Amino acid sequence: MKVWLDGKLVDKGSAKLSVFDHGTLYGDGVFEGIRVYNGRVFQCQAHVDRLFESARRIRLAIPYTKVELTEAMHKTLEANRRINGYIRLVVTRGLGTLGLSPFKCSDPSVFIITSDIEMYPQEMYENGMAMIIAKTIRCPARMLDPQVKSLNYLNNIRAKIEAVEAGVAEAIMLNEQGNVAECTGENIFIVKDGQAVTPGLKAGILAGITRAVVMRLGDKLGIKTAERDISPEDLYAADESFLTGTAAEVIAVTKVDDRIIGNGKVGPVTKKLLVAFQEFTDSNQV
Ligand code: PMP
């Protein structure tokens, strides 16, 4: 496997960062997870834009242009003869002292990994998944800007640990107000009376790229979508629920804690959106 690291394609074994990189020491850096379908980088511009926006928000100057990084992703795919799978695009703060100040760091490091991806077993895509509401709340925006897709995922990892220990694959995180925010690596929707509702960005969530695509597909299909606060009770009482994310794509939620959602099966609105999403990723429009 070849990894793109700071402008060069290197063997996986030589793709190494210093222990003094602030990405390693403090999780100081930003990243994107991106899908590749049939040789096309899915929502490439949106991901590259989001990476630069994440970096801008933490005053991290990426030492390449958007075009250069896009070319680098394609080069990495070519070098690995990969036409389907996943790209991880990462920017770390770079070498620094043991102090926190990012302003004492040298050049940021940039690397690109491509790999296979299988997020959840196929059975879950067909029958839906069970989840819990985590006790760990989503870090409020006043503590950490959710639009910074940073290298520090401990808030989400704590919720993921709760999920795994509860015997389910994923957890829903509430925000400080007690409303539904998002999952550890996916956005969440509920369906009520035919309308697909998802928390707005003010709920303290990442502006998911899959979420935006699914909302656009909903508009095209005549499925009404809306951004609104969702309480845990709204979620329990929903007709359907589903998650969206780069890795997970679109997947139904059929159980939350000990509550069955709807009739416990993948609902009709979720199914329509799931099929539309698959058609979209199969098409030339991605
Ligand atoms: N929320 C969080 C916290 C995430 O890490 C992700 C994955 N990037 C998402 C939502 C889904 O976003 P996207 O559809 O852009 O992958």
Side-chain angles (χ1 to χ4, degrees), residues 33 47 50 138 149 153 156 182-187 206-211 244-247:
H47 280 287
R50 189 169 69 180
R138 183 76 170 97
K149 195 164 162 52
Y153 256 58
N156 315 52
E182 60 184 338
C183 298
T184 68
E186 298 96 2
N187 293 111
L206 179 73
I209 289 169
T210 320
R211 171 184 181 273
T244 61
T246 292

Side-chain angles (χ1 to χ4, degrees), residues 166-178:
V168 294
E170 186 51 294
I172 296 154
M173 300 178 81
L174 304 181
N175 61 21
E176 217 181 1
Q177 289 74 40

Side-chain angles (χ1 to χ4, degrees), residues 105-156:
C105 293
S106 61
D107 293 340
S109 260
V110 181
F111 60 88
I112 301 168
I113 304 168
T114 64
S115 75
D116 286 324
I117 182 155
E118 199 203 318
M119 185 75 179
Y120 299 117
Q122 187 55 33
E123 181 271 323
M124 284 189 190
Y125 288 89
E126 285 155 22
N127 302 319
M129 65 192 292
M131 320 228 321
I132 56 156
I133 294 180
K135 290 189 184 72
T136 305
I137 65 160
R138 183 76 170 97
C139 207
R142 277 177 297 136
M143 287 169 66
L144 196 57
D145 181 352
Q147 304 321 328
V148 177
K149 195 164 162 52
S150 90
L151 291 182
N152 194 318
Y153 256 58
L154 273 179
N155 178 221
N156 315 52

